[in-house]
Amino acid sequence: MDMLNLRSAGMLIALAILQGCVSTGSNQVAESLQFYRGQLSPVGDSWSLQRCYSRQHRVLTDPEGVVRLRYGEQAVLTGLPLYMELKATESGAVRQVLVAGGGSRTCAAELNGVELRAAGADPDWAADLSGNRLEVRDQSRLMRLIFRVEESPVRTGGGREWHGSLKTPAGEQFKVELSLREVGCIDSVGVWYGLKAVMNLNGRSHKGCARYGDLANRSLPGVYRSELVGEAGPLRTIALRVSRDGTAELTENHHDGGGVTVRQGSWRLLPTGKLMLHLLLRDGQAEQQVRLFRRHRDGTLVLEGGEVDYGMAGLRLSPE
């Protein structure tokens, strides 16, 4: 676990491992960049990425040398996998490294519902930004404050700034300013982040690293599929499409002549890490149904509840 979590374990609200992504500046020639996260290993002149929540490996290239630089600084031994978060073109050419380093459990922490987290160790602090809500936790003074903040209209040096104030029921007043700069930042255990943060709370300066989160919206959307097979062959094909806009579609194709059933609704990731489907329509007709899925490390979704309809093994949907 990295410093931004380990040192904050005693806070009033436990901190999660920092996971997220850093926004990139625009190039002279616009490129469509995709976000990747997982364990990266060198393979000749290329790189193999074992993606989080997936059994798939993606081959990436490093034309600008940004991966080689970060890997050389962060890897314990050459050849061993190293956790990284990257932005690359559709063809797999890496343009930006967002995170380099971290423990084996880094894929499990996704900062769900948190757009941005900033944290530091001296003093021990953290701040979570979601919309115009900034939750500040200061372990050194055992404080938890929630501000309504505004983003400063002027951005300088490739950074962003927010400011806000509040008055407690006891009459105590607080002012906060949070600024980010797109400058590399290394925490106390050596993990590299793409943003440096400074928070000023009532005149007291707090320094640390920062990054964007809400990673489930990047890694979870996609198509998941299962084939139920009997002694005579395929019985049913089940496909779940989870979209980035929060909608979901569950299709069941009955190969025994039962036709195709299509259920539609929405999805969200619960604080427990489970995926909840709220299905509202069945073949265009109103039908309320809620289903919960556990998410395994390889990305497989396993239906909870042990529905007999799916046999002894239950329903297991594998990502495509």
Side-chain angles (χ1 to χ4, degrees):
M1 296 176 65
D2 56 58
M3 170 275 292
L4 296 177
N5 292 277
L6 185 60
R7 293 180 57 89
S8 303
M11 289 188 174
L12 298 176
I13 294 180
L15 301 181
I17 299 173
L18 286 178
Q19 299 296 323
C21 114
V22 179
S23 59
T24 60
S26 58
N27 297 328
Q28 291 181 346
V29 178
E31 291 183 293
S32 176
L33 298 181
Q34 298 182 4
F35 174 79
Y36 296 95
R37 62 191 293 250
Q39 299 291 331
L40 195 74
S41 303
V43 180
D45 294 332
S46 301
W47 300 84
S48 177
L49 182 71
Q50 170 67 63
R51 301 175 65 175
C52 292
Y53 292 107
S54 175
R55 291 186 291 267
Q56 297 179 352
H57 287 258
R58 176 69 198 267
V59 176
L60 302 174
T61 59
D62 185 27
E64 299 173 12
V66 291
V67 175
R68 183 173 61 255
L69 174 63
R70 294 296 162 216
Y71 184 88
E73 292 178 347
Q74 304 300 127
V76 177
L77 291 173
T78 301
L80 291 181
L82 178 70
Y83 178 83
M84 282 195 184
E85 294 177 8
L86 315 158
K87 280 194 173 181
T89 65
E90 293 183 1
S91 63
V94 177
R95 296 297 184 219
Q96 185 181 19
V97 177
L98 309 174
V99 176
S104 60
R105 299 181 59 190
T106 46
C107 282
E110 296 182 300
L111 287 184
N112 299 319
V114 176
E115 297 174 14
L116 172 78
R117 172 164 291 171
D122 187 18
D124 209 352
W125 67 281
D128 286 347
L129 179 70
S130 299
N132 63 353
R133 181 183 186 273
L134 181 69
E135 180 178 317
V136 174
R137 299 179 290 279
D138 187 339
Q139 170 68 358
S140 64
R141 291 184 284 180
L142 296 179
M143 289 194 314
R144 173 177 175 268
L145 303 169
I146 299 177
F147 294 87
R148 291 183 63 85
V149 294
E150 296 181 358
E151 186 168 0
S152 300
V154 178
R155 303 180 185 180
T156 59
R160 303 172 68 183
E161 297 179 355
W162 294 264
H163 64 275
S165 61
L166 64 82
K167 185 176 182 179
T168 68
E172 193 173 5
Q173 293 186 338
F174 291 89
K175 290 186 177 181
V176 67
E177 294 178 355
L178 177 65
S179 63
L180 305 180
R181 294 295 179 265
E182 293 182 356
V183 178
C185 180
I186 299 178
D187 69 12
S188 64
V189 296
V191 178
W192 184 92
Y193 301 98
L195 287 177
K196 182 174 288 188
V198 176
M199 183 181 72
N200 191 298
L201 184 62
N202 277 11
R204 188 184 187 195
S205 180
H206 299 64
K207 297 180 180 180
C209 302
R211 52 168 327 134
Y212 292 91
D214 213 4
L215 291 180
N217 288 328
R218 297 177 180 270
S219 59
L220 200 149
V223 178
Y224 301 78
R225 191 177 302 274
S226 178
E227 295 280 350
L228 300 184
V229 180
E231 294 181 359
L235 298 175
R236 199 177 350 167
T237 299
I238 303 168
L240 171 64
R241 183 179 298 276
V242 178
S243 300
R244 295 189 184 278
D245 62 3
T247 61
E249 182 177 276
L250 184 65
T251 303
E252 299 190 33
N253 186 356
H254 299 261
H255 300 298
D256 59 359
V260 179
T261 301
V262 179
R263 292 182 171 89
Q264 296 172 307
S266 61
W267 69 274
R268 68 185 180 97
L269 202 64
L270 301 179
T272 60
K274 295 179 180 179
L275 172 68
M276 184 181 76
L277 296 185
H278 186 195
L279 302 172
L280 302 173
L281 297 174
R282 173 176 175 172
D283 297 333
Q285 302 298 316
E287 180 188 76
Q288 291 272 357
Q289 190 177 101
V290 174
R291 294 188 178 184
L292 286 178
F293 290 85
R294 299 191 312 276
R295 192 181 184 199
H296 287 196
R297 291 185 65 180
D298 65 355
T300 301
L301 300 177
V302 180
L303 180 65
E304 293 203 328
E307 293 190 23
V308 179
D309 192 35
Y310 296 113
M312 294 279 296
L315 179 60
R316 302 174 65 92
L317 298 169
S318 299
E320 290 189 343

